């Protein structure tokens, strides 16, 4: 844990630090990435987890439109650029170690590439895995080239 985040442990409520100072102390992994959990701001529903690099984090904070780093494509991607199902940032917070982000978002439609509202639809129950939700939109329709 960085000394900056260690110092925040004892900071009183509503104390302030410069954003640049805190972002400089973010604990990105060896690949320069940090996990970002997206949660619907008004319902608390956990929608998805994706990765951000510093550029994606800066773009998200600057524009209010959530941007991630695609490990498979090796480039930035703005949620909804191919599906139209965007995420608009309502609030962002770092965890106590500075190595995980929680994004409070306003999600339009499904967050998951499967067409489901949430990516967390495989419930692990006893000795089975159960699909806990239906797609809102067929994935072939969701990503159809228009």
């Amino acid at each position: 844990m960085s000394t900056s985040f260690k110092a925040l442990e004892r900071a009183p409520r509503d104390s302030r630090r410069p954003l640049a100072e805190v972002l400089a102390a973010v604990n990105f992994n060896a690949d320069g990435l940090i996990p970002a959990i997206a949660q619907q701001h008004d319902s608390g529903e956990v929608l998805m987890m994706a990765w951000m690099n510093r550029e994606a984090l800066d773009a998200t904070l600057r524009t209010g439109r959530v941007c991630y780093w695609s490990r498979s494509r090796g480039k930035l991607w703005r949620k909804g650029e191919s599906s139209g199902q965007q995420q608009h940032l309502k609030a962002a917070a770092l965890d106590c170690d500075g190595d995980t982000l929680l994004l409070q978002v306003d999600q339009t439609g499904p967050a998951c590439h499967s067409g489901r509202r949430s990516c967390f639809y495989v419930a692990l129950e006893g000795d089975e895995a159960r699909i806990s939700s239906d797609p809102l939109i067929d994935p072939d329709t969701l990503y159809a080239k228009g």
Side-chain angles (χ1 to χ4, degrees), residues 42 45 47 55 62 111 142:
D42 52 359
E45 179 183 20
L47 300 171
E55 186 179 0
R62 186 179 67 254
L142 186 61

Side-chain angles (χ1 to χ4, degrees), residues 1 11-12 22 26 42 50 59 65 69 72 80 84 87 94-96 98 100-101 103 110 118 121 126 129 135 142:
M1 179 188 326
V22 173
V26 168
D42 52 359
R65 174 119 181 259
W69 175 258
S72 61
Q87 289 178 352
L94 288 158
D95 76 337
C96 58
T100 304
L101 280 164
L103 307 173
S118 171
Y121 62 88
L142 186 61

Side-chain angles (χ1 to χ4, degrees), residues 86-120:
Q86 300 178 8
Q87 289 178 352
H88 297 279
L89 186 68
K90 295 294 187 178
L94 288 158
D95 76 337
C96 58
D97 297 321
D99 64 4
T100 304
L101 280 164
L102 178 61
L103 307 173
Q104 300 283 322
V105 303
D106 188 15
Q107 171 72 48
T108 59
C112 184
H113 74 278
S114 71
R116 290 173 172 85
R117 176 71 177 165
S118 171
C119 293
F120 296 96

Side-chain angles (χ1 to χ4, degrees), residues 34-111:
I34 186 172
I37 300 165
Q39 182 180 38
Q40 179 63 32
H41 75 99
D42 52 359
S43 69
E45 179 183 20
V46 176
L47 300 171
M48 59 179 281
M49 191 290 281
W51 297 93
M52 285 186 166
N53 63 7
R54 177 62 191 259
E55 186 179 0
L57 177 55
D58 288 343
T60 297
L61 295 174
R62 186 179 67 254
T63 68
R65 174 119 181 259
V66 181
C67 182
Y68 296 105
W69 175 258
S70 171
R71 294 178 302 163
S72 61
R73 290 177 261 178
K75 67 177 191 170
L76 293 175
W77 63 279
R78 279 160 190 77
K79 184 67 177 160
E81 66 189 2
S82 58
S83 69
Q85 310 302 313
Q86 300 178 8
Q87 289 178 352
H88 297 279
L89 186 68
K90 295 294 187 178
L94 288 158
D95 76 337
C96 58
D97 297 321
D99 64 4
T100 304
L101 280 164
L102 178 61
L103 307 173
Q104 300 283 322
V105 303
D106 188 15
Q107 171 72 48
T108 59

